[in-house]
Amino acid sequence: MESLMAYVIGILFAAAIYMMLRRSIVKLVIGLIILSNAANLLIFAVSGMTRGAPPLIPEGAAAPLGIIADPLPQALILTAIVIAFGVLAFAVVLIHRAYEVVGNDDLDQMKDTDT
C-alpha cells in the first residue's frame, strides 16, 4: 500500500508542477490545489499507514495500550487543509478581479498590458 501511495503522490506532484507551468492563471491555481493535496498525502504516508486506536490512556496506566494512531500528522493535515482553503478563496477572488481589469487570464498578456 505504501508503494502505491508513493506512486500516487509522485503523479500528483508531477501534475501540479505541469499545471503550474501553464500560462493560464486558472491552471496555476488548480496546480496549487493539487500541490497542496499532494503535500497532505505525503505527510499522511510518511507518518505511517497503520490502523490504530485513539491515543487515550486508560485510568491507572502510564501509557496507551496497544497500537495507537499518531494524532500529530492528522492535526497538521487538518491545519493545512484549512490554510489551503483560505488561499484558494483568496486566489479565486484575485483571479476574478484580475480578469475584470485585464479581460484575459493569460499570464503573458497580463504582464504586457499597461493598465
Side-chain angles (χ1 to χ4, degrees):
M1 185 67 173
E2 285 84 7
S3 61
L4 176 66
M5 287 299 289
Y7 285 122
V8 169
I9 292 167
I11 290 169
L12 282 175
F13 272 115
I17 291 171
Y18 176 76
M19 292 295 283
M20 289 170 53
L21 291 175
R22 307 299 297 169
R23 290 179 11 182
S24 172
I25 195 165
V26 175
K27 292 178 183 174
L28 172 75
V29 171
I30 292 171
L32 286 173
I33 294 167
I34 295 172
L35 184 70
S36 69
N37 287 333
N40 290 341
L41 277 176
L42 180 66
I43 293 170
F44 180 69
V46 168
S47 68
M49 298 180 61
T50 58
R51 287 188 176 207
L56 302 174
I57 301 173
E59 237 180 275
L65 304 174
I67 299 173
I68 61 166
D70 188 11
L72 183 63
Q74 296 172 12
L76 287 173
I77 291 171
L78 283 174
T79 304
I81 289 170
V82 170
I83 292 171
F85 181 72
V87 168
L88 173 65
F90 176 72
V92 167
V93 171
L94 189 65
I95 288 171
H96 181 66
R97 181 66 182 145
Y99 185 77
E100 281 181 352
V101 170
V102 178
N104 201 346
D105 73 333
D106 191 1
L107 290 173
D108 289 338
Q109 292 179 2
M110 282 183 170
K111 179 180 70 168
D112 294 336
T113 59
D114 295 320
T115 56

